Structures are given as structure tokens and as C-alpha cells.
Amino acid sequence: MQLENKVAIVTGSSLGIGKAIAMAFGKEGASVTVDYRSHPDEAKEAVQEIEKVGARAISVQADVSKPEDIKSLIQKTVEEFGRLDIMVNNAGIEEKVPFLETPLELWEKVISVNLTGVWLCCQEAAKQMVSQGDGGRIINISSIHEEITMPTNAPYCAAKGGLKMLMRTIAVELAPHGITVNNIGPGAIETPINRNLKENPEQMKELLGEIPLGRIGQPEDVASLATFLASDAASYITGSTYFVDGGMMRQSGSL
Ligand code: BGC
């Protein structure tokens, strides 16, 4: 088992990519805190599923855009499991609105969860890891949109672009403490964040045309990389983004 005796927090892990990561970590022997904001029943189910594979798990409600929630998320994890080794910042939101019609409130909401929230989680998690004195792992779930555009989604793209330099900068600052920091950039993955795609076959067809490997990704495609980056085998890897996108970023469109 790759994560035996490790303790992990996965934000936004009642559903989607976060849940798949929490499950994968449990299967590899980690104790896991399932963080959720608005899906308590799904979070409880995730905990039960992790326990079924023989790992320990708790669920904690915390909104990543609230500093006091993040502090208590880490405190409760340490109270329950004794320490924190792996912080996965997965919670994120998006709402597509044309740039000229986007209200300031929407910009602020998306930035507060997808960028400021990750900054807060990184800082609180790193403080805990530094106090333990034996390193740690921070993994941010970013997006291919830290590099490529997505019209009608400027706040989301700006937040993901910000995550790139946040990760790179703190990777350098935290390296002397043995804490590695990396981003995973998923492409189109089948999760609740893009559930509208399923109801729109035309849009789905267009999207599949953009993916060289010819299929939409599954949350488990992302979870397998997260498990590796969280493991001891990845101890020399820090400061980069790894894309899980079926080749989407290399697609040259009509050329
Ligand atoms: C977005 C999805 C989108 C995918 C590929 C993700 O970051 O959350 O809505 O389908 O990127 O463009």
C-alpha cells in the first residue's frame, strides 16, 4: 500500500474528482478527512465507502473560502488522526457567463473559492506540516484552464492561472521543509461540475472532437495521479503541473 499511516484531507470530496481521490487514498491505506460544504449525505456515504475498504475516515463541513472553517478542518483532522501528511485542494466552482455580462459578485465568488480558498488551505496545511517537522504533500486540483482559454469562464480561468504561480512560488518556499507542492490539471472529466454536458449531445460531440483519446475522463483517471503524487515514490517531484486531459491541450483544432 502506497499511503499506509498517512493522513489526508481532500476538500470538496463528497462528489466527483474529490471523492475518487478520497477513495483511492483510502484504498492505499491513508486515513482521510472528507471535506464538504453543501452535501452532508453524500459526504457520509463517501466516509462509509472509505471505511468499507478498511481505512479510517471522517467528514467535516468547511467552506474553503472561510478562514475559520479551514482552521477547524485541519484542527479536527489532527484531533482525530494525530497529524496531517497530504492536503488535496480540490473544492472548486464555476459558472459560465459572457465576460461583458459578468457581475463583480460572480468574479469575487469564484476567486474566493478557487484561488483564495486554495491559498488559505495551503497556508494552514503547511503550518501544520512544518510543526510536525517531517515534510508533507500539497496537491491542488487545477485545470487545463490554467493554460488554455475558456470563453464565458474568465473568473474560473483567472483563478486556475493564479493557481499555477501560487503552486510554483510556494513549492520553492516550502521545499526546505520537505513539503512538495504540485498541481493536477484535469481536462474534461465526467463530474457534477459539467453535468449539463450529458443533457446536450451536440455539445458533447463537439467536446469529444477536441479530445485526441476520444473519451471524456473519469474521476479515477485523476485519482491515480493524485495517489502517486501523494506517495513516497514522488518525493523528488515539486513545483509543476501535470495534466490529465486525454491530450486535449495538444489538439490543434481544424489544422
Ligand atoms: C471545467 C469543465 C470543462 C473542462 C474542459 C474543466 O476545468 O471545469 O467545465 O469541461 O475543464 O474544458
Side-chain angles (χ1 to χ4, degrees), residues 52-245:
K52 260 192 214 142
V53 300
R56 296 166 72 199
I58 54 167
S59 63
V60 174
Q61 181 175 28
D63 177 339
V64 298
S65 66
K66 296 191 178 139
E68 59 285 5
D69 281 20
I70 302 310
K71 282 199 170 85
S72 90
L73 174 66
I74 292 185
Q75 212 180 334
K76 284 179 183 157
T77 300
V78 174
E79 268 166 28
E80 184 73 22
F81 301 127
R83 52 185 289 117
L84 175 65
D85 302 287
I86 305 158
M87 184 78 200
V88 179
N89 298 311
N90 164 79
I93 54 172
E94 73 178 313
E95 204 175 312
K96 292 171 192 159
V97 180
F99 172 57
L100 293 176
E101 290 151 34
T102 303
L104 176 61
E105 292 70 33
L106 179 56
W107 165 268
E108 284 175 338
K109 187 171 131 193
V110 173
I111 295 292
S112 76
V113 174
N114 293 12
L115 184 56
T116 311
V118 177
W119 179 84
L120 279 168
C121 287
C122 286
Q123 193 184 51
E124 287 301 326
K127 282 183 190 166
Q128 174 62 32
M129 290 169 185
V130 168
S131 78
Q132 294 166 186
D134 54 0
R137 297 274 187 276
I138 295 175
I139 301 167
N140 303 317
I141 305 305
S142 176
S143 167
I144 55 172
H145 299 296
E146 71 169 54
E147 291 292 344
I148 67 171
T149 62
M150 191 177 203
T152 74
N153 218 353
Y156 183 86
C157 293
K160 298 300 185 181
L163 283 189
K164 177 170 74 174
M165 287 311 296
L166 170 65
M167 172 276 292
R168 290 182 179 184
T169 307
I170 66 174
V172 175
E173 286 193 53
L174 296 175
H177 300 284
I179 300 169
T180 67
V181 191
N182 292 289
N183 285 5
I184 295 179
I189 309 293
E190 194 176 332
T191 73
I193 213 170
N194 56 24
R195 67 167 78 77
N196 53 332
L197 271 175
K198 270 201 165 157
E199 292 139 28
N200 193 333
E202 266 312 299
Q203 220 184 326
M204 180 61 112
K205 208 173 141 214
E206 221 175 288
L207 176 66
L208 290 178
E210 296 289 323
I211 305 172
L213 286 179
R215 68 169 174 90
I216 193 158
Q218 293 304 311
E220 291 71 24
D221 292 315
V222 181
S224 54
L225 177 59
T227 304
F228 170 69
L229 288 175
S231 74
D232 289 344
S235 65
Y236 199 58
I237 300 175
T238 197
S240 290
T241 298
Y242 300 91
F243 294 101
V244 180
D245 69 345

